[in-house]
Amino acid sequence: MSQAFPSKPAVTFRLSKAELVLVFITMLWGGTFLIVHNVMTVSGPMFFVGLRFAAAALFVGLVAARSLSGLTFTELKAGVLIGVSIMLGYGLQTMGLQTISSSQSAFITALYVPFVPLLQWLVLGRRPGLMPSIGICLAFIGLMLLAGPEGGALHFSEGEVVTLISAVAIAGEIILISRYAGKVDVRRVTVVQLATASALSFLMIVPTQEQLPDFSWLLLASAVGLGAMSAVIQVAMNWAQQSVSPTRATLIYAGEPVWAGIVGRIAGERLPGVALIGGALIVLAVVVSELKIRRRDEADALQEDEARQREAGL
């Protein structure tokens, strides 16, 4: 008499094409912190953010010009809401870069990792699964070790506070992108959100009493270069998050401070040993989040149960 055994879980590591795209843009994203940190020597934060996203909106607008006439109210609403989040996220982050290092900014910004599933739960009512939850915990511990000049100790200066608030805004951006993913045209929404972020950033120059900078090739080149990069990143995020969940996307984005730390180290910034441990935990968090435990479907399980019942009756 043959004996049926339950199937063993098959653990697989898989990255879809959309997830690989998110990994690539995370590498690009991590490299922008040092550039912005250097630009803050010649420009105020809101003017630079406005110029940066104006360039990005222009790049995407040229590519998507033919489709803009079909803009719907839903796409306009989505673009404006995401644009507000971008302005707050990047604007506050850039303000913080006036007084803290690029690596430190990246680490504190990445605290949006645990913010996303929590906001997602509160706003959308979606609870993260087991493996993403474990990954979130690991990422949070790693980020706490990475944050702060002492590695593992957060000393809340003004720059750190505004950067921490920017992390909440970036978490909101990711949730909003996922909320409207698949319901809107990616190109049209991207143009609206970039244009909104740019316009609002320029408007914020007045209440913040920021002085307009003198002409600088560093400012111009950085704004145009980061504008093009921002355009690519925003289009890629909008496209990829149509099939990648907010929790999974967030854990991929958790690699951002690692890349920023690498770039910062090349530029002369040094991290304490405990901060390197934190970086390793973030990488582990991404790996854990990609673990997939596969079991037989319910039909196969039912067939096995029926087979065992027949054998027991013999």
Side-chain angles (χ1 to χ4, degrees), residues 46-292:
M46 300 314 299
F47 180 84
F48 176 71
V49 171
L51 191 62
R52 171 182 179 176
F53 285 107
L58 179 61
F59 283 127
V60 180
L62 291 174
V63 175
R66 293 184 178 180
S67 67
L68 293 179
S69 60
L71 182 69
T72 65
F73 176 76
T74 299
E75 291 167 345
L76 178 62
K77 177 183 176 182
V80 169
L81 290 175
I82 296 172
V84 171
S85 297
I86 292 174
M87 183 277 292
L88 291 173
Y90 283 85
L92 293 172
Q93 179 193 87
T94 305
M95 284 184 180
L97 278 165
Q98 291 180 301
T99 56
I100 62 177
S101 70
S102 62
S103 297
Q104 189 180 354
S105 175
F107 302 149
I108 297 175
T109 299
L111 285 172
Y112 70 80
V113 172
F115 290 164
V116 165
L118 293 176
L119 289 177
Q120 181 183 321
W121 187 2
L122 292 173
V123 177
L124 303 180
R126 299 177 184 173
R127 296 186 180 184
L130 175 61
M131 299 311 289
S133 296
I134 294 174
I136 289 166
C137 292
L138 289 172
F140 180 78
I141 294 171
L143 290 167
M144 290 302 294
L145 292 175
L146 281 165
E150 302 300 327
L154 278 172
H155 302 285
F156 288 101
S157 65
E158 181 179 347
E160 290 167 339
V161 170
V162 296
T163 305
L164 188 61
I165 297 173
S166 77
V168 179
I170 293 173
E173 175 196 351
I174 294 172
I175 292 174
L176 285 170
I177 289 175
S178 295
R179 172 68 177 81
Y180 289 101
K183 302 178 182 179
V184 295
D185 182 90
V186 171
R187 296 165 298 175
R188 292 195 290 263
V189 168
T190 302
V191 172
V192 174
Q193 69 191 45
L194 293 174
T196 299
S198 175
L200 292 177
S201 297
F202 283 132
L203 288 174
M204 287 300 295
I205 292 175
V206 177
T208 58
Q209 298 181 339
E210 182 179 308
Q211 293 185 350
L212 297 179
D214 296 327
F215 176 81
S216 167
W217 285 110
L218 173 61
L219 172 60
L220 181 61
S222 298
V224 173
L226 289 180
M229 192 179 297
S230 296
V232 172
I233 288 174
Q234 293 300 322
V235 171
M237 286 176 66
N238 287 338
W239 172 78
Q241 286 190 224
Q242 294 182 63
S243 58
V244 180
S245 70
T247 300
R248 187 178 296 275
T250 302
L251 286 162
I252 292 174
Y253 298 150
E256 175 191 353
V258 177
W259 297 112
I262 292 173
V263 174
R265 183 174 180 82
I266 293 173
E269 296 178 359
R270 293 293 180 266
L271 301 176
V274 69
L276 296 177
I277 295 175
L281 284 176
I282 289 177
V283 175
L284 179 61
V286 176
V287 173
V288 168
S289 72
E290 293 299 330
L291 284 174
K292 298 180 180 180

